[in-house]
Amino acid sequence: MTSTTQADSLTASELAATSLLRFATAGSVDDGKSTLVGRLLHDSKSVLADQLEAVEHASRKRGQEAPDLALLTDGLRAEREQGITIDVAYRYFATPRRRFILADTPGHVQYTRNMVTGASTAELAVVLVDARNGVVEQTRRHAAVAALLRVPHVVLAVNKMDLVDYAEPVFAAIAEEFGAYAASLGVRDVTAIPISALAGDNVVEPSANMDWYGGPTLLEHLETVPVGSDPSEEPARFPVQYVIRPQSAEHPDYRGYAGQLASGVLRTGDQVTVLPAGITTTVAGIDVLGEERDIAWAPQSVTVRLAEDIDISRGDLIAAGPAPEPTQDVVATVAHLAERPLRVGDKVLLKHTTRTVRAIVKDIPYAISVDTLEQVERPGSLNVNDLGRVVLRTAEPLALDDYRSNRRTGSFLLIDQADGTTLTAGMAGEAF
């Protein structure tokens, strides 16, 4: 089923209006990221009057004549006092063409883990660069994280063009350097846009100061970049979240498996494999919001009924198409998020979709320098913000896809057994 068929009852304008783009912003400290986000919200008329009034009041108290739009996003008091972003701030806004969920992530190196959190579900990453400084270490770090997380689209926003006299050669040199580095990471789609967040050039409105630039504004690109993928081109993956057995007089024999389709399309009559057991059966029916349907596609929440009664519980995976081979030996690239180091021999919980199993860290073959992409052999442990390679042994088999082919079923979390703290984000398979 194509994406057009899925919504054939909607007009083209309705379809555009209902599309959703999740995107993340990242940049080094003082590159103007918060000002850019504030400008984007302000100029797209996504700021409430009382919010703008509060920003204007705070700006006047600081002795600033014009509103400091960065205050629209730097919500934490510590951030406002320091003038930096230290947490992931989520913003929801919409234009007539599209809805957006924006994850404004920190720029400082010590908060790289927050970018991992914000970009993990993003379909686009906006990497901000100061036109005066060009591509710096933190720029490469953000590009590497975006590549590692398989973010499909990357925008290089070259900010503060007003401070370099809107010079085209400055922009061209930065775009070329970043493009070459991104290509070495395997990033296929990079769009470079020259902007001035402070003055509003090329953020929402085209800039009269850069007539040499013929591309889209940032908002125009966000509104038109392709969103999502065609579910019919992906194998179906349905993690079971809940087993429904009412055993009532009306439904004495009903047995349904509820959850959200992680990827692909399921149809009544499809042959499926229940993992990790490896039992094969067919789809007898699909219920959506209490109504029977012949078809469902990601990311719909549905109830699936199977032709045979099988011992299925929360955490099992119903798969159609080429199915992953269940394994207890997991090799993955990880981003360590916790202050507590991850060490060889650590016993942890591994959460994959709706399944949580016990695991042990058997080996950490190497850490990855995100600046040079070089491997640091046998580090013994991973510290906060580190990227690396780990080998895990699980107590029960897991049906993991390669992260490069399926972000939803190729990812997992490592969790502290004692207090439930999230330790590490993992991506099965090769890194770059």
Side-chain angles (χ1 to χ4, degrees):
M1 168 173 278
T2 64
S3 54
T4 302
T5 308
Q6 293 165 16
D8 54 9
S9 62
L10 298 179
T11 66
S13 60
E14 288 173 329
L15 195 58
T18 56
S19 66
L20 171 68
L21 174 67
R22 297 175 181 268
F23 72 102
T25 59
S28 301
V29 174
D30 296 330
D31 277 355
K33 181 171 52 61
S34 294
T35 301
L36 170 62
V37 174
R39 172 65 65 183
L40 187 61
L41 296 174
H42 178 270
D43 288 7
S44 64
K45 308 222 173 3
S46 301
V47 180
L48 298 176
D50 58 340
Q51 289 178 308
L52 186 57
E53 184 179 343
V55 167
E56 290 172 343
H57 177 70
S59 300
R60 284 195 298 271
K61 286 183 65 176
R62 290 181 169 190
Q64 298 169 306
E65 294 182 6
D68 184 355
L69 298 180
L71 298 181
L72 288 170
T73 56
D74 285 343
L76 297 179
R77 183 174 180 181
E79 293 179 351
R80 291 192 176 190
E81 291 174 348
Q82 299 177 54
I84 64 172
T85 303
I86 60 176
D87 200 1
V88 179
Y90 290 93
R91 296 291 180 267
Y92 307 85
F93 69 103
T95 69
R97 304 178 73 178
R98 180 168 280 173
R99 294 176 295 122
F100 302 93
I101 298 178
L102 183 162
D104 182 24
T105 67
H108 200 280
V109 60
Q110 73 189 88
Y111 303 115
T112 301
R113 59 182 171 176
N114 298 62
M115 185 196 171
V116 173
T117 302
S120 61
T121 58
E123 294 184 82
L124 181 146
V126 178
V127 179
L128 207 66
V129 171
D130 188 326
R132 298 170 300 175
N133 302 327
V135 176
V136 297
E137 177 182 313
Q138 189 68 337
T139 310
R140 291 189 291 272
R141 182 175 286 108
H142 289 146
V145 170
L148 178 64
L149 294 173
R150 303 290 164 182
V151 179
H153 310 284
V154 174
V155 171
L156 173 68
V158 183
N159 192 27
K160 303 190 180 181
M161 288 297 295
D162 53 314
L163 300 183
V164 293
D165 297 325
Y166 299 102
E168 181 180 8
V170 174
F171 168 74
I174 294 172
E176 182 179 1
E177 181 180 356
F178 183 86
Y181 183 73
S184 71
L185 296 172
V187 179
R188 298 177 181 178
D189 183 20
V190 177
T191 301
I193 303 175
I195 66 170
S196 170
L198 188 63
D201 293 284
N202 284 337
V203 179
V204 172
E205 300 295 333
S207 172
N209 298 305
M210 291 180 277
D211 54 5
W212 45 265
Y213 173 72
T217 65
L218 177 59
L219 181 60
E220 183 182 355
H221 182 69
L222 295 176
E223 289 179 324
T224 56
V225 69
V227 174
S229 58
D230 185 349
S232 65
E233 297 179 353
E234 302 173 339
R237 299 288 186 265
F238 183 72
V240 175
Q241 184 171 350
Y242 186 72
V243 179
I244 300 176
R245 293 200 66 194
Q247 295 180 307
S248 62
E250 186 180 358
H251 303 286
D253 300 316
Y254 186 95
R255 184 194 295 262
Y257 307 101
Q260 183 184 51
L261 263 169
S263 64
V265 176
L266 271 183
R267 297 175 176 84
T268 300
D270 279 355
Q271 183 174 340
V272 296
T273 303
V274 180
L275 300 171
I279 301 172
T280 300
T281 183
T282 58
V283 176
I286 300 170
D287 299 326
V288 181
L289 297 176
E291 296 183 3
E292 188 167 350
R293 302 284 177 84
D294 292 328
I295 189 168
W297 56 86
Q300 283 184 313
S301 294
V302 302
T303 299
V304 174
R305 290 178 281 117
L306 300 179
E308 299 162 85
D309 287 344
I310 302 172
D311 183 15
I312 298 176
S313 58
R314 175 184 171 87
D316 287 342
L317 184 72
I318 298 174
E325 188 70 31
T327 181
Q328 291 180 258
D329 296 301
V330 178
V331 182
T333 302
V334 301
H336 190 60
L337 311 177
E339 297 291 343
R340 196 202 91 183
L342 183 73
R343 296 185 172 90
V344 174
D346 280 355
K347 295 180 179 179
V348 296
L349 296 177
L350 189 155
K351 186 179 188 308
H352 171 246
T353 64
T354 57
R355 187 178 186 85
T356 302
V357 301
R358 291 180 294 110
I360 186 171
V361 181
K362 298 290 290 183
D363 191 17
I364 303 177
Y366 57 83
I368 302 171
S369 168
V370 293
D371 306 319
T372 63
L373 302 184
E374 292 180 353
Q375 299 178 3
V376 180
E377 302 294 331
R378 303 291 171 188
S381 65
L382 295 176
N383 297 313
V384 62
N385 295 320
D386 281 351
L387 304 180
R389 192 79 166 156
V390 300
V391 178
L392 304 160
R393 176 71 177 178
T394 61
E396 302 170 39
L398 290 175
L400 278 159
D401 281 298
D402 191 301
Y403 185 81
R404 291 175 296 182
S405 60
N406 196 318
R407 292 174 77 189
R408 288 288 303 276
T409 55
S411 59
F412 61 86
L413 293 174
L414 298 184
I415 299 169
D416 191 311
Q417 292 186 117
D419 58 14
T421 300
T422 299
L423 300 174
T424 311
M427 291 137 281
E430 296 296 328
F432 302 108

